[in-house]
Amino acid sequence: MIAPDGLVLGIETSCDETAVSIVRAGREILSNVIASQDELHAPYGGVVPEIAARAHVERLPLVIDRALTDASISLRDISGVAATRGPGLIGALLVGYAAGKAMAASLDLPFSGVHHIEGHIFASVLEENGVAPPFLALIVSGGHTSLFAVGELGSYEVLGETLDDAAGEAFDKIARFLDLGYPGGPAIDKLSKLGAADAIDFPRAMVNKGLDFSFSGLKTAVVRYVREAEAKGVNLRKADVAASFQEAIVDVQVIKALRAAQERDLRTIVIGGGVAANSRLRAKLAAEAEAAGVRLVVPDRKLCVDNGAMIAAAGHFRMSRAELTPLDASADPALQLSAD
Amino acid sequence: MLVLGIETSTRFASVAICSENEVVASYELGRGRSQDEILMPAATRMLADAELTWSQLGGVAVGLGPGLFTGLRVGVATAKTLAQSLNIQIAGLSSLDVLAYSVRYGGRTICTCSDARRKEVFWAFYHPVPGGVQRITEFRCAPAEHCVNEIEARGGSMLVVGNGPHLYAREFERVARDVDVAGVSDCTPRAVPLAELAVARLLREDSDRLLDVKPLYIRKTDADMNWEKIKT
């Protein structure tokens, strides 16, 4: 068990951010340190798992130190430890998860191995966002594109998910194809501001069918469009391609999120995950939600990307219900988010 | 001084507590559950059974390999966080150096040779010196027959230790008669000699900075190797 106002140290290393945060009472962020590895992976145009794991081992102690310093506390003030247990890249996950267990055991503190997606959902519980269920959660990142009905915290019903690429993956692949650099999401977001979103009518796959997503067709369409234009010698505006691609991918998410909320009669939508930092998704979803009379909760960008605060918040919730993770539980790269 | 040793550079996981004059506790596992699952429960259990608390530890030691990356990182991340949480000294030692140290009494040259996966082994050569061993080569990583070639080229009486010769028995068949291969009970790096060596180092405050403690990978990442291929 953990005191309601206890401090939890949250560790997140499931992909390419080394992140540690201190959160009080499951919602007040005292520090939130994110050491990005973008510069290490940029030459390869995507996350290299072995490089990510190596960097976590080197950087984690410094990031922990910094999180404590920023929060003006010492390890003695902590009342619980949380670390991402899965899903994610196994080599990367294991670093933060092993560290979390070591810290908890040696300081005789409760430990929670957190589901990464539950963490993203908890980003909207933090700080002034303070959202309470029931709500619809749209979690979009490099590894996930999912819609959840959240009847109460701790209980997540999957309404839809991607059948192929995650939205973030599509952003990265198209960015690489257009030679825009890495990470792809921010690059496309930035370039799109200079282009016309209606220049090219890219397909919105499965937009009228169910709540699942598919982005591989869109990706192929963009590649085909660019190749054909080049073959014909047409002067191609990359900004138009980026903006039109982004509009298509955003449209599908906005339409499905609003339809899911309507079908389930949920009056609040929360978004999370790295793609939730996309400015067009934030703007369009805000506009459409307002038109539909649905409240939209958009966490700060620093809480949308992978971070330790969301892990600390979810961990605090689990530990406050006396749901502790035993020290012999392994990290799980394919951890399931249970519906109970 | 009580030192907790953590050695996870091979599939054989091992945790031990040593002081200046005794082995306090030891736990070893060669198959079954993963290092991630058994490491902290084993350490916690050993401390409890020895009627010790975490705050009585004066240092932590970790085997840095070279060895299998995932296990190494679990051990190194665990050791670093323990040192940081308990505010105690840390010493990182090469797992192969520790392996050679535990068979130092024969007076012969020692070759440590350990599995590197992908049909390769890590190896190095040592001379016994008073009180220990001295590594006389860099760590290498290549197919087992390269290690055998080097053993033959050096010639003379030698002891080969590690799981390499056992995994690549066929390659090692052709080593000369005065080259012995240590049996399985001496072929894996262990936390007991690791902690023993670390006690001596930490007593003279020869500890490592947390930042400097990282696995000895020796082998580059695939991405780096491919990258070099593209560049050249």
Side-chain angles (χ1 to χ4, degrees), chain A residues 118 149-157 317-318 321 338-340:
Chain A
E118 180 166 45
V150 182
E152 55 182 320
L153 291 174
S155 166
Y156 314 102
E157 183 190 348
F317 168 75
R318 290 290 172 184
R321 302 210 304 189
S338 64
D340 51 27

Side-chain angles (χ1 to χ4, degrees), chain A residues 136-225:
Chain A
L136 178 93
L138 170 65
I139 307 298
V140 253
S141 70
H144 310 272
T145 306
S146 308
L147 284 166
F148 299 97
V150 182
E152 55 182 320
L153 291 174
S155 166
Y156 314 102
E157 183 190 348
V158 180
L159 300 180
E161 52 198 346
T162 180
L163 303 177
D164 38 59
D165 287 347
E169 221 176 333
F171 270 104
D172 279 342
K173 285 176 180 170
I174 293 303
R176 197 158 42 194
F177 175 68
L178 294 176
D179 225 2
L180 302 180
Y182 175 84
I188 287 181
D189 197 347
K190 196 171 157 199
L191 184 63
S192 293
K193 292 191 187 350
L194 308 173
D198 57 359
I200 309 149
D201 187 22
F202 287 127
R204 273 82 169 149
M206 298 170 54
V207 74
N208 296 313
K209 203 178 124 206
L211 294 171
D212 285 333
F213 300 90
S214 167
F215 298 117
S216 66
L218 169 59
K219 206 178 56 195
T220 313
V222 174
V223 172
R224 192 188 310 127
Y225 178 86

